[in-house]
Amino acid sequence: MNEPTLTYKDPSQSIDLRVDDLLARMTMEEKIGQMTQVEKNSVKLEEIGKFFVGSVLSGGGGSPPENTVEGWAEMVDSFQRAALGTRLGIPIIYGVDAVHGHTNLRGATVFPHNIGLGAANDPDLMFAIGQATAVEMLATGIPWNFAPAVSIPQDIRWGRTFEGYGEDTDLVTRLAIPYLQGLQTPPEGWPKDEILVLGTPKHYLGDGGTVFGSSTTVIEQQRYLLDQGDTRMGEETLRTLFLPPYEAAIEAGALSIMASFNSWHGEKLHAHPYLLTEVLKGELGFGGFIISDWEAVNQVSDDYYTAVVESINAGIDMVMTPYDYQAFIVALTRGVEEGRVSTLRIDDAVRRILKAKFSVGLFESPLSNPTLKEVVGSKDHRELARQAVRKSLVLLKNENQTIPIEKETPLIIVAGEGADNIGLQSGGWTIEWMGKSGPITPGTTILEGIRTAVSPDAIVNYESSGRFERNVGENGKPMIADVGIVVISEEPYVEGFGDRANLTLSGEDVDLIARVRKHCQKLIVIIISGRPLVLTDQLPLMDALVAAWLPGSEGAGVADMLFGDYPFNGRLPFTWLRTNDQLPLNINNSKSDQSLFSFGFGLET
Ligand code: GLC
């Protein structure tokens, strides 16, 4: 007679019943293993089973040696098979930062970063991007995305400004929730009805409100300025500014939330029982699990044992301990044995984790789905991304009927490294953690889009340096182009590496604009950046100015707008400053006449 199906293995049973049944069968060792997340390079397959590891992640750029769909699927499935071979067969949940597409994976669709999506301000688009991202992730067997960031950056000197949809709480909530729902909602006709991919609103709480210069973090000899710093506003302001997206995310079914590196009045969020447990889990009723950030628990105390005890007791349920995960297991085991961490707390954490694993269907579909391979970087997804690029562009200046450019324009000159560089137009969190200049993944550059858009007899000359002196006419004089396009771009960065004291254009960029100005009748400047930059003095030289943010792989979407295939409708999601010394400058602390362009500004065509 067949052995009766154990309740936790029976998909016809309720999730609560399955969790209760499984929890009751688990040893303390198995429970603590579930609370452990380790980076894929720090654990051997046999250790997954030995330590009952509950989760594995790829950090930014954490690709397998073969960075293909098959390479990823083989890596993730190998960890999963090791977990399925344990006594109770509890699957791992693998997580990545697919913050603007599954962009550690070469060939995946790279959507505009959140700052551009904030300018687009289109909730339906957000849902579609979330769902497209989820399906590309599942092709590699990954059901957990450490996104959306619901950061609300209040000081654009922060290196993570581009990960926020904007400086306004309502805008962020309005866009983050449909993205989360898109991540978690299976497409029409999908064979399963569980959560598609687990989303993770982050970083709770107050990540975008830290005071300039308050960070004490030093990584690779780089001293952070704002990232991981101290948020010093009062509780009412903290709640009003930062809590709404989390409240809405919980209502929308979020089952994991990532805690933030920052402190509030000097107290680390990762060891803040009031904000993590009383507010998030109690007052807001969050029933999912809180994941720590990367080694953030280590920052709680100089004594690691104390750090583990305090963060788990404060409400952290799973610890992202990318390297020495065994030290975490030893510390938490000691904490339980010494009565510093109660078994009730452990059971609560594991219950939350298991609930998420059952909800995402991991026990029924633990492995990658090779039939999804064609979806990765598909024509449809790239068209969706190109549409997002178009909607994200903000037209800040347009005089002398400069935009739209006639496709028959005889001579167009283009300058700037960012005009022909997928890496620069994609920014951080793309193939590598920091991102990287160059042809790092398939897509179209802005220049390629321009060349495709113009009529066959139009001439497009590209000189990255803007040195068009050699462009001479029959009369031996330098030719004057009908239109000049200069693309100014920030070098890619992430996190505190992008913290900047000074957002003024570089000397090279100022010279580039002045140089091209001399060689064209009408000058268009396109800014590729993760935030507004100081360009007040250069504005008079421009006939037109476009903020393109970090558009991702489909740079041709920029050309669509320049040549009038679609109308401009983007609006600034951040206040655009006049001078650096105005910072921090946002709608919560300034009047619109102080800015060069105010929050919500954007010309239409
Ligand atoms: C990073 C980031 C966080 C990311 C995590 C895993 O430090 O703070 O946003 O999800 O580590 O890569």
Side-chain angles (χ1 to χ4, degrees), residues 218-255:
V218 178
I219 295 187
E220 293 166 20
Q221 287 89 42
Q222 173 101 10
R223 170 68 187 268
Y224 285 7
L225 297 169
L226 297 101
D227 195 35
Q228 307 190 10
D230 195 23
T231 296
R232 293 180 185 149
M233 56 194 67
E235 179 165 353
E236 187 185 347
T237 307
L238 183 79
R239 282 172 170 265
T240 307
L241 207 44
F242 295 113
L243 216 43
Y246 292 98
E247 288 174 287
I250 292 165
E251 274 166 43
L255 285 175

Side-chain angles (χ1 to χ4, degrees), residues 265-588:
H265 292 302
E267 284 188 61
K268 279 285 178 188
L269 252 291
H270 273 73
H272 209 291
Y274 173 64
L275 289 176
L276 291 178
T277 298
E278 283 188 52
V279 175
L280 188 61
K281 294 178 176 178
E283 190 182 318
L284 270 56
F286 177 54
F289 69 95
I290 301 175
I291 171 81
S292 84
D293 205 334
W294 186 282
E295 286 199 302
V297 163
N298 305 47
Q299 294 182 4
V300 163
S301 166
D302 292 340
D303 172 62
Y304 185 61
Y305 173 55
T306 303
V308 169
V309 167
E310 289 184 358
S311 51
I312 298 296
N313 284 337
I316 300 289
D317 300 303
M318 181 188 284
V319 173
M320 186 186 295
T321 169
Y323 307 113
D324 192 357
Y325 69 95
Q326 294 179 35
F328 167 68
I329 292 171
V330 166
L332 185 50
T333 304
R334 178 185 161 197
V336 172
E337 287 165 353
E338 294 182 354
R340 299 279 305 278
V341 179
S342 71
T343 52
L344 276 179
R345 177 73 273 271
I346 298 292
D347 285 357
D348 172 53
V350 176
R351 180 182 302 281
R352 291 167 180 271
I353 292 165
L354 294 177
K355 176 180 171 185
K357 289 189 172 183
F358 282 116
S359 300
V360 80
L362 265 173
F363 285 76
E364 283 67 50
S365 314
L367 299 172
S368 63
N369 178 348
T371 65
L372 293 175
K373 178 180 182 312
E374 302 312 315
V375 168
V376 176
S378 68
K379 189 171 177 301
D380 286 354
H381 284 183
R382 289 183 186 278
E383 189 42 50
L384 175 65
R386 186 166 174 167
Q387 179 194 13
V389 172
R390 292 193 291 260
K391 288 175 171 249
S392 70
L393 265 53
V394 182
L395 184 58
L396 295 171
K397 181 177 182 182
N398 189 23
E399 294 174 357
N400 311 318
Q401 284 82 44
T402 301
I403 290 176
I405 309 169
E406 290 294 322
K407 292 183 180 180
E408 295 71 30
T409 300
L411 176 58
I412 298 173
I413 55 176
V414 182
E417 193 188 0
D420 197 28
N421 193 311
I422 295 252
L424 294 182
Q425 71 191 42
S426 297
W429 300 104
T430 315
I431 305 300
E432 299 188 15
W433 181 43
M434 291 278 186
K436 189 177 173 190
S437 175
I440 59 173
T441 193
T444 52
T445 66
I446 296 169
L447 178 65
E448 286 163 352
I450 292 170
R451 290 195 191 286
T452 307
V454 298
S455 59
D457 47 13
I459 297 170
V460 176
N461 279 346
Y462 176 55
E463 277 287 346
S464 174
S465 65
R467 298 192 189 290
F468 292 98
E469 292 78 10
R470 288 189 294 279
N471 262 28
V472 293
E474 278 98 45
N475 59 8
K477 289 204 174 77
M479 283 169 74
I480 299 296
D482 303 281
V483 173
I485 300 171
V486 173
V487 179
I488 301 290
S489 50
E490 280 194 299
E491 280 297 313
Y493 49 78
V494 278
E495 306 192 33
F497 290 98
D499 286 355
R500 291 277 183 282
N502 186 348
L503 298 181
T504 307
L505 286 191
S506 68
E508 294 81 18
D509 287 338
V510 169
D511 293 346
L512 181 62
I513 292 170
R515 195 175 306 129
V516 177
R517 174 69 274 183
K518 291 194 294 238
H519 293 286
C520 60
Q521 290 178 32
K522 295 180 183 177
L523 175 63
I524 300 170
V525 172
I526 298 171
I527 305 286
I528 297 288
S529 66
R531 53 195 153 194
L533 299 174
V534 179
L535 42 71
T536 313
D537 297 344
Q538 288 69 42
L539 194 57
L541 294 174
M542 308 170 196
D543 294 288
L545 172 62
V546 175
W549 317 113
L550 296 168
S553 56
E554 308 312 306
V558 177
D560 294 342
M561 304 306 287
L562 296 178
F563 291 91
D565 292 352
Y566 297 83
F568 275 87
N569 207 10
R571 296 287 185 279
L572 285 182
F574 287 95
T575 300
W576 199 290
L577 68 170
R578 287 180 184 279
T579 59
N580 214 68
D581 58 16
Q582 290 180 303
L583 294 173
L585 183 73
N586 58 59
I587 50 164
N588 301 308

Side-chain angles (χ1 to χ4, degrees), residues 57 59 97 146 160 202-203 258 261 293-294 320 429 495:
L57 86 146
D97 295 278
F146 306 133
R160 307 197 75 162
K202 70 183 184 181
H203 312 78
M258 187 179 291
F261 277 111
D293 205 334
W294 186 282
M320 186 186 295
W429 300 104
E495 306 192 33

Side-chain angles (χ1 to χ4, degrees), residues 8-9 22 25-27 30 83-84 86-90 363:
Y8 81 92
K9 291 192 175 187
L22 180 51
R25 299 172 188 275
M26 293 170 74
T27 64
E30 289 164 334
L84 296 175
T86 55
R87 180 176 78 91
L88 293 169
I90 304 174
F363 285 76

Side-chain angles (χ1 to χ4, degrees), residues 48 124 136 146 149 172 177 184 206 263 291 317 348 403 423 449 577:
I48 294 286
D124 294 339
E136 295 201 16
F146 306 133
V172 169
I177 303 314
Q184 304 204 151
S263 306
I291 171 81
D317 300 303
D348 172 53
I403 290 176
L577 68 170

